[in-house]
Amino acid sequence: MAQDAPGLALNWVFGGSTQVKNGVVNLSDGYSDRICYVAAHTGIIYDKKTGKQIFLQGHCNAIVCLGVTEDRNTIITADVGNESLLVLWDSRTGVPIKSIPRPHVHGIVAMDIAPGGEWLATISAPDPTTGEQEIALWSLPLLLSEPSPRPAVLSTIPAGDPQLAVRFNTNNAPAELMSNGKRRVYFWTSQYPASGRFKYYSPPLRSRDFKQAVGDFVASVFVPGGLQALTATVDGDLVVWDEQGITAQMGTRATDRRAVKLMRIHQQAITYLGTIGDYIVSGGRDGFVRFFDPLLRIVAWFEDLGAGPVVGLSFSGALPARVAAGTELADTLNRFLVPDFVVATEEGRLVAVQSASFEEFDAAARRGTEVVSPLITDVVDVACHPTRAEFAVLGHSGVLQRWDSVRHECVGTRTFTKAPGTKLEYSRDGSFMVAGFEGGHLVLMATHDLSDVHLARNTPASIALVATAATGIHVAVADEAHHVLLYAHLPYKHIMRWEYIGKAKAHHAKVVGLSFGESPSGQTRLFSLGADGRVVEYDVDGSKPATGLRIVSHHDFAAGQVPTTLCFAPPLQYYKHHSAQTLLLMADDSYKLRMFDPDLQSSVATMLGPTFGGPLQRLLMFKSPTSDSAFLAYATEDRVVGLVAWPCDGDPAQTLGLIAHPGRITALAISYDGRKLITAGADGTLAMWDISTKVLEAQAAASAALGGARWHRVLDNPPLLEELRDYFTYAQVKAQGEDSMAARDVRGLVPVALVPDLMRAAGFFPSEAAIRDIMAHIAFIANGRDQDTLTHLDFDTFLSLYLNHRPLFDVAAEDLAAAFTALGAPPSHGRLTREQLLTALQQAGERMSAEELLGALTALTGADRIQEAIPSALDAPVFSSQVLGFEDAQLAG
């Protein structure tokens, strides 16, 4: 039986990591025409003939090193971070051959593969404390064969100038290497197997040696067939290192190298330095690629690529066809002959260049061929067309691109020069797009040609959110100053035109959610959600240019959780009572998903949301094309995206998540047919994922088949489970009367009224607002069972409520300190007076009466008077130990 596809499977990656040096390798060998390049934490093998991608997946951190053996059979990748990896891949299949966790403690920042593919040199990331690095020499055959391979040679690099690049001497590999940081070069020699340590020297270089400033170093190589070495600088110079000979100073050897010459070969920074055959190859920020002979005489130059600053370059493993086919030797003398190559640029372009094009007279013939359409490198938002396989991206630079998601081609581009881009959205029918920019600029444009439909600027603050109504006649935006603005397509004389309706400021913190939706009656409704805990509804139909934007209602949630995102909840067709209601779904920083009824102004249910990767920052509802069931797509702030089966009840089996990007996720979108999820990262890449809901549906169904026992698995704490059972049994006894002489009626049910006490017994002390939410959730469960109300709960239902409503994390010392600060304690010392604390407890929030306060303090401290229970002045640690009676370890959880 074929295995089901994963819930989210990578389909295509747009863009690449433009800041990775040497981030492309050419896998072409005369039989295949492929390249491999880095896209964040994924390696991409792209076949230029078939137009297909193979993904090298396994890194959690962004890949910073990429290389391939001389035979083009093995690709090697490495990263930096807590879960660093060194991975060897089969270049034909993309299957990992060997993974080495933490090859260096903090990962690898530079590596090089020796000719012949027998040796690998690596340089570790600096130790955060000491600044020291390691340089290592690995035997690739041993690395592949041993279960826990270690370097053959390993030495510590002194702290001071972090080394950024390493290169074998192709004339003497693996015995000699060189590395460079920004200001210092090291020459390393190994005597393996006689010694497991490197010997090294680092020649000094002073600006006065050349009577001019020397720029920071970028990369280094050994001159092919000679004794010299070269180091490139950000000034466009080459530092030439040569043996000292008879000029050697005391304490140095004649064979030690020193800087003998400074030679400018680019007018801007050199960004790439390598060798091919007997040639030295350079690439610059000027976008030029130049070839030099061992005497540093220029031999060939490619200055018409027009693709942007060069960041990487890699040669084919086969000679050009005209040479490989047997060109007469006389025709090759004194001619420039190197394999064809691929150039990677800072603009995200990959350009295939035929070396023979150097001899072309026409500049257009020397430009090379773009391998893939380049994605803008600073995507801030992405939006999917609602009716066809197309999406659009907006960059911080103001560039907007339209992409065909089937052919993976850019089909339209427009550049906005007024301000950086911030947000992008399609209209519900796809006829126009809305782009928001810093400074409050808003542009409505036709989708087909990106021409202006309407321009507006009604706020000086940057646009933070954009929403479009299903009717196509309303657009709402939220700005960074916490305003919500509304625009409408209204009749004017004999035409229709867009008009500004007005703006309202109902939030005093960032607006994190803005959504149009339609009630079951067909009414268009607009809601906003703020990080201040307030949800606001606006009067869409009743707001006119003459009246401005009107607010219908608002609701403030209890303090404690910070909302993070908002969407309309999918219809609850399974629950008859709720099927005709408008329900909002909100996520917060406590990892909860809350359903809210804006008509009743109350919470309906609270569910534990996905807990992998941080609080949810984006939520999108979509329907599965295979089962017609509703699902939610989500993204956290960093790294993780996933799916949630709907309706959800807090069971983790209803969710899945994966690391989509190694850092911040900037955008999330769903294709028109619900088959593709598109994610954009701050790493400059955009990933398109195939959605298969079958796995999640099967996973959720298997868990649901366990009945109430599934909550035992979710709790995953047998001692606590038994303790909760004891409390539940006692609650049944208490409900019948502890002194009752009648036969005990222990049917496994407790009255709903005792649920808050059970929660407290279990260590969760809900506020009055939280108790109201719990009772609302019980009513929701009753409606789901087609009952008007529930008067009693069984143990498993209680356990589900407990797991969904309790805080995910224990209260920590810093939480208590933050609470004191919120009550007015100065940050300098964090103390409150007794009077300040009593005033806050009795007059703010859920107020405590004097009797309630005294009763609580007596229970905690045994004191008979408030003044005896609370010191005259106290900070969070004093309150924790003297009032609450916690030890520090207990408070930390």
Side-chain angles (χ1 to χ4, degrees), residues 19 268 323 421 466 498 548 618 627 685 714 751 783 869:
Q19 301 304 315
Q268 297 184 41
V323 178
V466 174
W498 285 95
R618 296 169 182 83
S627 65
T685 65
V714 175
N783 292 323

Side-chain angles (χ1 to χ4, degrees), residues 16-59:
S17 299
T18 60
Q19 301 304 315
V20 176
K21 294 180 181 178
N22 307 321
V24 61
V25 294
N26 199 328
L27 303 178
S28 302
D29 55 8
Y31 301 99
S32 62
D33 193 8
R34 302 178 304 153
I35 61 172
C36 179
Y37 58 94
V38 174
H41 65 320
T42 303
I44 311 294
I45 298 176
Y46 178 70
D47 192 315
K48 292 188 278 182
K49 292 181 179 178
T50 63
K52 294 182 178 180
Q53 291 182 339
I54 296 175
F55 308 111
L56 311 182
Q57 294 178 276
H59 290 273

Side-chain angles (χ1 to χ4, degrees), residues 708-723:
R710 62 190 170 126
W711 298 110
H712 307 176
R713 172 182 53 80
V714 175
L715 180 63
D716 193 26
N717 188 334
L720 178 58
L721 180 64
E722 288 306 311
E723 188 176 346

